[in-house]
Amino acid sequence: MSANISSTAVGRIRGVPIVIASTACALLLTACSSGGTSGSSGEPNFVAGKDGTDAVPASWRVRAPDLSGKTVDGRVLDVADYRGKVVVLNVWGSWCPPCRAEAQGFETVYQDVRSQGVQFVGINTRDASPAPAMAFQRDQGITYPSFYDRSGRLLLRFQKGTLGIQSVPSTLVIDRHGRVAARAIGALDRSALLKMVQPIVGEK
């Protein structure tokens, strides 16, 4: 009797991490989304915009995590090298139709604002190898670098309850002081992206 109880108990205990891990992965890597709201109403420091983007007042911003690693073409990239610039982070996958829809608009905006001290950086996620990601960048004419983050390792560095990334595509704007200043979950067209980036570019 006691042996049966012990085996059942152990089975239940062993099952707990599996359930927790599966739930965590599901929350982090939700299905590719073409839009929708950010779901920020229960999170601190957000001011929700009407266009699906959220901003954080300068006095409430938190520092972005360190982001470094290999790009889709095998080079080493460290976002800290861009300190003093506004950094636009775009999370994407070559398998994601909304990512494809927004890609050329992102490149256009990058070319429009890069002379104002703005750097775009992609975070490619859930592609099985770098090859499709490289093909995506080539086909879409993307010239800015992208991390290859198949497992979402870089995404997990973002502090929960601030501006954590929860879906693909997503976009974060980091201000010149290295703090997360704005977020959008879902695809952005060129106009919406400019509206999100320009106020932060104009800050001192």
PDB file of all heavy atoms in Angstrom, residues 10-31:
ATOM      1  N   VAL A  10       5.525  10.225  -6.278  1.00  0.00           N
ATOM      2  CA  VAL A  10       6.696  10.561  -7.079  1.00  0.00           C
ATOM      3  C   VAL A  10       6.284  10.917  -8.495  1.00  0.00           C
ATOM      4  O   VAL A  10       6.790  11.864  -9.105  1.00  0.00           O
ATOM      5  CB  VAL A  10       7.689   9.372  -7.092  1.00  0.00           C
ATOM      6  CG1 VAL A  10       8.775   9.602  -8.117  1.00  0.00           C
ATOM      7  CG2 VAL A  10       8.301   9.202  -5.702  1.00  0.00           C
ATOM      8  N   GLY A  11       5.330  10.163  -9.050  1.00  0.00           N
ATOM      9  CA  GLY A  11       4.859  10.451 -10.403  1.00  0.00           C
ATOM     10  C   GLY A  11       4.291  11.836 -10.513  1.00  0.00           C
ATOM     11  O   GLY A  11       4.515  12.557 -11.484  1.00  0.00           O
ATOM     12  N   ARG A  12       3.530  12.220  -9.494  1.00  0.00           N
ATOM     13  CA  ARG A  12       2.943  13.557  -9.518  1.00  0.00           C
ATOM     14  C   ARG A  12       4.016  14.625  -9.402  1.00  0.00           C
ATOM     15  O   ARG A  12       3.986  15.641 -10.071  1.00  0.00           O
ATOM     16  CB  ARG A  12       1.932  13.700  -8.377  1.00  0.00           C
ATOM     17  CG  ARG A  12       0.640  12.924  -8.606  1.00  0.00           C
ATOM     18  CD  ARG A  12      -0.259  12.983  -7.404  1.00  0.00           C
ATOM     19  NE  ARG A  12      -1.504  12.257  -7.641  1.00  0.00           N
ATOM     20  CZ  ARG A  12      -2.377  11.982  -6.702  1.00  0.00           C
ATOM     21  NH1 ARG A  12      -2.140  12.349  -5.443  1.00  0.00           N
ATOM     22  NH2 ARG A  12      -3.483  11.328  -6.990  1.00  0.00           N
ATOM     23  N   ILE A  13       4.990  14.403  -8.522  1.00  0.00           N
ATOM     24  CA  ILE A  13       6.050  15.382  -8.337  1.00  0.00           C
ATOM     25  C   ILE A  13       6.867  15.533  -9.604  1.00  0.00           C
ATOM     26  O   ILE A  13       7.203  16.621 -10.038  1.00  0.00           O
ATOM     27  CB  ILE A  13       6.960  14.954  -7.157  1.00  0.00           C
ATOM     28  CG1 ILE A  13       6.177  15.074  -5.845  1.00  0.00           C
ATOM     29  CG2 ILE A  13       8.216  15.804  -7.103  1.00  0.00           C
ATOM     30  CD1 ILE A  13       6.881  14.439  -4.660  1.00  0.00           C
ATOM     31  N   ARG A  14       7.161  14.384 -10.233  1.00  0.00           N
ATOM     32  CA  ARG A  14       7.939  14.453 -11.465  1.00  0.00           C
ATOM     33  C   ARG A  14       7.179  15.127 -12.581  1.00  0.00           C
ATOM     34  O   ARG A  14       7.753  15.707 -13.485  1.00  0.00           O
ATOM     35  CB  ARG A  14       8.338  13.047 -11.906  1.00  0.00           C
ATOM     36  CG  ARG A  14       9.436  12.441 -11.026  1.00  0.00           C
ATOM     37  CD  ARG A  14       9.745  11.034 -11.457  1.00  0.00           C
ATOM     38  NE  ARG A  14      10.822  10.475 -10.669  1.00  0.00           N
ATOM     39  CZ  ARG A  14      11.173   9.201 -10.686  1.00  0.00           C
ATOM     40  NH1 ARG A  14      10.493   8.345 -11.454  1.00  0.00           N
ATOM     41  NH2 ARG A  14      12.183   8.765  -9.950  1.00  0.00           N
ATOM     42  N   GLY A  15       5.880  15.062 -12.540  1.00  0.00           N
ATOM     43  CA  GLY A  15       5.074  15.667 -13.599  1.00  0.00           C
ATOM     44  C   GLY A  15       4.988  17.170 -13.509  1.00  0.00           C
ATOM     45  O   GLY A  15       4.729  17.844 -14.496  1.00  0.00           O
ATOM     46  N   VAL A  16       5.236  17.722 -12.312  1.00  0.00           N
ATOM     47  CA  VAL A  16       5.062  19.166 -12.114  1.00  0.00           C
ATOM     48  C   VAL A  16       5.983  19.993 -12.980  1.00  0.00           C
ATOM     49  O   VAL A  16       5.549  20.908 -13.696  1.00  0.00           O
ATOM     50  CB  VAL A  16       5.233  19.526 -10.617  1.00  0.00           C
ATOM     51  CG1 VAL A  16       5.329  21.027 -10.438  1.00  0.00           C
ATOM     52  CG2 VAL A  16       4.067  18.984  -9.811  1.00  0.00           C
ATOM     53  N   PRO A  17       7.321  19.726 -13.002  1.00  0.00           N
ATOM     54  CA  PRO A  17       8.191  20.539 -13.845  1.00  0.00           C
ATOM     55  C   PRO A  17       7.818  20.489 -15.307  1.00  0.00           C
ATOM     56  O   PRO A  17       7.967  21.458 -16.033  1.00  0.00           O
ATOM     57  CB  PRO A  17       9.579  19.925 -13.595  1.00  0.00           C
ATOM     58  CG  PRO A  17       9.462  19.208 -12.289  1.00  0.00           C
ATOM     59  CD  PRO A  17       8.056  18.710 -12.256  1.00  0.00           C
ATOM     60  N   ILE A  18       7.352  19.305 -15.772  1.00  0.00           N
ATOM     61  CA  ILE A  18       6.985  19.175 -17.180  1.00  0.00           C
ATOM     62  C   ILE A  18       5.827  20.099 -17.512  1.00  0.00           C
ATOM     63  O   ILE A  18       5.819  20.788 -18.520  1.00  0.00           O
ATOM     64  CB  ILE A  18       6.628  17.713 -17.503  1.00  0.00           C
ATOM     65  CG1 ILE A  18       7.860  16.818 -17.302  1.00  0.00           C
ATOM     66  CG2 ILE A  18       6.094  17.581 -18.917  1.00  0.00           C
ATOM     67  CD1 ILE A  18       7.574  15.346 -17.416  1.00  0.00           C
ATOM     68  N   VAL A  19       4.818  20.130 -16.624  1.00  0.00           N
ATOM     69  CA  VAL A  19       3.662  20.994 -16.846  1.00  0.00           C
ATOM     70  C   VAL A  19       4.071  22.451 -16.819  1.00  0.00           C
ATOM     71  O   VAL A  19       3.683  23.251 -17.667  1.00  0.00           O
ATOM     72  CB  VAL A  19       2.576  20.721 -15.778  1.00  0.00           C
ATOM     73  CG1 VAL A  19       1.462  21.739 -15.888  1.00  0.00           C
ATOM     74  CG2 VAL A  19       2.035  19.308 -15.935  1.00  0.00           C
ATOM     75  N   ILE A  20       4.905  22.821 -15.831  1.00  0.00           N
ATOM     76  CA  ILE A  20       5.347  24.203 -15.707  1.00  0.00           C
ATOM     77  C   ILE A  20       6.142  24.626 -16.927  1.00  0.00           C
ATOM     78  O   ILE A  20       5.940  25.695 -17.498  1.00  0.00           O
ATOM     79  CB  ILE A  20       6.186  24.387 -14.431  1.00  0.00           C
ATOM     80  CG1 ILE A  20       5.299  24.225 -13.203  1.00  0.00           C
ATOM     81  CG2 ILE A  20       6.859  25.751 -14.412  1.00  0.00           C
ATOM     82  CD1 ILE A  20       6.062  24.217 -11.889  1.00  0.00           C
ATOM     83  N   ALA A  21       7.085  23.768 -17.362  1.00  0.00           N
ATOM     84  CA  ALA A  21       7.908  24.094 -18.518  1.00  0.00           C
ATOM     85  C   ALA A  21       7.066  24.250 -19.763  1.00  0.00           C
ATOM     86  O   ALA A  21       7.270  25.175 -20.557  1.00  0.00           O
ATOM     87  CB  ALA A  21       8.963  22.998 -18.725  1.00  0.00           C
ATOM     88  N   SER A  22       6.101  23.335 -19.952  1.00  0.00           N
ATOM     89  CA  SER A  22       5.243  23.412 -21.138  1.00  0.00           C
ATOM     90  C   SER A  22       4.425  24.692 -21.134  1.00  0.00           C
ATOM     91  O   SER A  22       4.258  25.353 -22.157  1.00  0.00           O
ATOM     92  CB  SER A  22       4.312  22.207 -21.183  1.00  0.00           C
ATOM     93  OG  SER A  22       5.052  21.010 -21.262  1.00  0.00           O
ATOM     94  N   THR A  23       3.902  25.057 -19.953  1.00  0.00           N
ATOM     95  CA  THR A  23       3.109  26.282 -19.845  1.00  0.00           C
ATOM     96  C   THR A  23       3.952  27.501 -20.136  1.00  0.00           C
ATOM     97  O   THR A  23       3.531  28.426 -20.840  1.00  0.00           O
ATOM     98  CB  THR A  23       2.486  26.389 -18.433  1.00  0.00           C
ATOM     99  OG1 THR A  23       1.719  25.227 -18.195  1.00  0.00           O
ATOM    100  CG2 THR A  23       1.610  27.622 -18.324  1.00  0.00           C
ATOM    101  N   ALA A  24       5.182  27.524 -19.596  1.00  0.00           N
ATOM    102  CA  ALA A  24       6.066  28.678 -19.812  1.00  0.00           C
ATOM    103  C   ALA A  24       6.379  28.853 -21.285  1.00  0.00           C
ATOM    104  O   ALA A  24       6.364  29.966 -21.808  1.00  0.00           O
ATOM    105  CB  ALA A  24       7.362  28.490 -19.011  1.00  0.00           C
ATOM    106  N   CYS A  25       6.675  27.735 -21.966  1.00  0.00           N
ATOM    107  CA  CYS A  25       6.974  27.823 -23.393  1.00  0.00           C
ATOM    108  C   CYS A  25       5.770  28.309 -24.183  1.00  0.00           C
ATOM    109  O   CYS A  25       5.898  29.094 -25.120  1.00  0.00           O
ATOM    110  CB  CYS A  25       7.415  26.454 -23.920  1.00  0.00           C
ATOM    111  SG  CYS A  25       9.039  25.952 -23.311  1.00  0.00           S
ATOM    112  N   ALA A  26       4.592  27.846 -23.806  1.00  0.00           N
ATOM    113  CA  ALA A  26       3.383  28.257 -24.518  1.00  0.00           C
ATOM    114  C   ALA A  26       3.132  29.741 -24.348  1.00  0.00           C
ATOM    115  O   ALA A  26       2.716  30.426 -25.285  1.00  0.00           O
ATOM    116  CB  ALA A  26       2.181  27.462 -23.997  1.00  0.00           C
ATOM    117  N   LEU A  27       3.392  30.259 -23.149  1.00  0.00           N
ATOM    118  CA  LEU A  27       3.178  31.685 -22.916  1.00  0.00           C
ATOM    119  C   LEU A  27       4.179  32.528 -23.675  1.00  0.00           C
ATOM    120  O   LEU A  27       3.865  33.586 -24.198  1.00  0.00           O
ATOM    121  CB  LEU A  27       3.288  31.986 -21.411  1.00  0.00           C
ATOM    122  CG  LEU A  27       2.139  31.483 -20.546  1.00  0.00           C
ATOM    123  CD1 LEU A  27       2.460  31.702 -19.072  1.00  0.00           C
ATOM    124  CD2 LEU A  27       0.840  32.196 -20.909  1.00  0.00           C
ATOM    125  N   LEU A  28       5.431  32.065 -23.732  1.00  0.00           N
ATOM    126  CA  LEU A  28       6.468  32.840 -24.400  1.00  0.00           C
ATOM    127  C   LEU A  28       6.310  32.818 -25.904  1.00  0.00           C
ATOM    128  O   LEU A  28       6.394  33.840 -26.578  1.00  0.00           O
ATOM    129  CB  LEU A  28       7.843  32.279 -24.029  1.00  0.00           C
ATOM    130  CG  LEU A  28       9.019  32.916 -24.787  1.00  0.00           C
ATOM    131  CD1 LEU A  28       9.172  34.376 -24.372  1.00  0.00           C
ATOM    132  CD2 LEU A  28      10.297  32.148 -24.532  1.00  0.00           C
ATOM    133  N   LEU A  29       6.066  31.641 -26.461  1.00  0.00           N
ATOM    134  CA  LEU A  29       6.068  31.493 -27.907  1.00  0.00           C
ATOM    135  C   LEU A  29       4.662  31.231 -28.415  1.00  0.00           C
ATOM    136  O   LEU A  29       4.318  30.145 -28.847  1.00  0.00           O
ATOM    137  CB  LEU A  29       7.003  30.345 -28.294  1.00  0.00           C
ATOM    138  CG  LEU A  29       8.452  30.523 -27.846  1.00  0.00           C
ATOM    139  CD1 LEU A  29       9.262  29.288 -28.202  1.00  0.00           C
ATOM    140  CD2 LEU A  29       9.069  31.760 -28.472  1.00  0.00           C
ATOM    141  N   THR A  30       3.831  32.240 -28.317  1.00  0.00           N
ATOM    142  CA  THR A  30       2.469  32.107 -28.789  1.00  0.00           C
ATOM    143  C   THR A  30       2.439  32.134 -30.305  1.00  0.00           C
ATOM    144  O   THR A  30       3.412  32.458 -30.956  1.00  0.00           O
ATOM    145  CB  THR A  30       1.589  33.245 -28.241  1.00  0.00           C
ATOM    146  OG1 THR A  30       2.205  34.489 -28.569  1.00  0.00           O
ATOM    147  CG2 THR A  30       1.439  33.137 -26.739  1.00  0.00           C
ATOM    148  N   ALA A  31       1.285  31.799 -30.865  1.00  0.00           N
ATOM    149  CA  ALA A  31       1.165  31.695 -32.317  1.00  0.00           C
ATOM    150  C   ALA A  31       1.386  33.040 -32.977  1.00  0.00           C
ATOM    151  O   ALA A  31       1.140  34.084 -32.412  1.00  0.00           O
ATOM    152  CB  ALA A  31      -0.222  31.159 -32.674  1.00  0.00           C
TER     153      ALA A  31
END
